[in-house]
């Protein structure tokens, strides 16, 4: 288990908002849901990093002898909003470790279970999934998955993540994963054509997308699953379809294929 304490200062949230979210989707004084990712940052020493730049000996994740580590998704439960100025503690423990063999070779899925607490009160619950992979064989890109047709969307948006966006999110989250800045690594080791957008950034963009489209319904739970890489300097379309009690959202490439999926569940209305 690891534990980190942080005070929720406004500066990281302001820096993220000024880069990715020009209008704050939360009430004044409250940290928008999911933006806890800007806090409780792990600070591994340089010699504790894996060759791909991700944390190695972090006190929780086992030593896995596969060269690549990717973000696979997350499930978030928001028990109450986080307030600026609070000092909170994040604890992380190891969940399930599952080995599989896929079309590109061995895979290891690792689940990390985290909670953010104020004293004994649980504020946010987090279940993060990472996948460790072997060397990327030629032609190992995931098979495209078609997203919903445009006439089904109730909400729509579009953005392009530039190298500056990648740098700023890496800086905000102290993320040294080489897939976000090292084109030689991306091409030669990951087998990808260009720099890759952070999975946690896509998750935040999808969550912000839900909050902006339904600002009067607090999000109680949000889940995200990474499907395919999103690349730098390539348009990303956001699509959403609300339903009773929540919404389904997608990040799509310029062909309409799925990059990431998300699902929001609204909090129950307060009783009068």
């Amino acid at each position: 288990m690891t534990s980190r304490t942080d005070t929720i200062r406004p500066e990281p949230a302001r820096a993220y908002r000024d880069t990715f979210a020009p209008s704050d989707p939360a009430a004044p004084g409250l940290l928008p849901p999911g933006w806890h990712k800007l806090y409780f940052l792990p600070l591994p020493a340089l010699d504790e990093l894996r060759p791909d730049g991700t944390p190695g000996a972090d006190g929780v994740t086992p030593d896995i002898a596969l060269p690549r580590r990717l973000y696979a998704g997350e499930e978030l439960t928001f028990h109450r909003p986080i307030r600026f100025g609070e000092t909170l503690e994040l604890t992380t423990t190891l969940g399930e470790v599952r080995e599989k063999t896929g079309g590109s070779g061995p895979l290891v899925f690792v689940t990390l279970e985290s909670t953010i607490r104020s004293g004994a009160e649980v504020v946010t619950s987090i279940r993060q999934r990472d996948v460790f992979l072997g060397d990327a064989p030629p032609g190992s890109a995931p098979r495209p998955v078609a997203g919903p047709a445009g006439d089904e969307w109730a909400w729509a948006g579009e953005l392009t993540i530039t190298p500056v966006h990648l740098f700023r999110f890496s800086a905000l989250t102290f993320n040294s994963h080489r897939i976000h800045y090292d084109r030689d690594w991306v091409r030669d080791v990951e087998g990808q054509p260009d720099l890759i957008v952070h999975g946690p950034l896509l998750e935040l963009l999808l969550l912000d997308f839900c909050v902006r489209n339904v600002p009067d319904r607090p999000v109680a739970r949000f889940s995200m699953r990474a499907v395919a890489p999103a690349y730098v300097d390539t348009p990303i379309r956001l699509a959403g379809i609300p339903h009773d009690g929540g919404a389904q959202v997608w990040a799509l490439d310029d062909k309409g294929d799925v990059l990431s999926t998300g699902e929001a569940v609204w909090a129950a209305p307060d009783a009068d």
Side-chain angles (χ1 to χ4, degrees), residues 205-220:
L205 294 172
L206 286 171
L207 181 48
D208 291 345
F209 186 56
C210 291
V211 171
R212 289 196 187 94
N213 279 282
V214 188
D216 57 342
R217 295 294 302 272
V219 178

Side-chain angles (χ1 to χ4, degrees), residues 43-180:
L43 302 173
L46 192 63
D47 61 3
E48 293 174 340
L49 298 177
R50 290 160 44 89
D52 65 357
T54 63
D58 62 4
V60 178
T61 308
D63 185 17
I64 295 174
L66 293 172
R68 299 188 295 142
R69 179 179 186 172
L70 297 175
Y71 185 80
E74 196 168 61
E75 297 167 15
L76 302 170
T77 301
F78 305 109
H79 303 283
R80 70 155 172 84
I82 292 175
R83 296 180 288 272
F84 287 114
E86 288 192 277
T87 297
L88 303 172
E89 181 183 31
L90 180 142
T91 59
T92 301
T93 59
L94 181 64
E96 181 183 26
V97 178
R98 184 162 47 96
E99 298 183 13
K100 293 183 63 177
T101 300
S104 60
L107 309 169
V108 179
F109 290 89
V110 175
T111 300
L112 302 176
E113 306 276 359
S114 299
T115 56
I116 298 174
R117 288 185 169 89
S118 174
E121 179 192 17
V122 177
V123 176
T124 305
S125 302
I126 307 158
R127 175 173 293 157
Q128 177 181 326
R129 296 178 301 279
D130 287 355
V131 59
F132 292 79
L133 308 95
D135 291 326
S140 60
R143 182 176 302 173
V145 177
D151 58 5
E152 300 177 24
W153 307 352
W155 312 334
E158 186 171 313
L159 70 157
T160 298
I161 300 298
T162 69
V164 174
H165 289 105
L166 294 183
F167 174 85
R168 295 198 100 181
F169 192 76
S170 290
L172 281 167
T173 56
F174 203 64
N175 185 329
S176 54
H177 198 174
R178 293 171 70 169
I179 64 174
H180 307 308

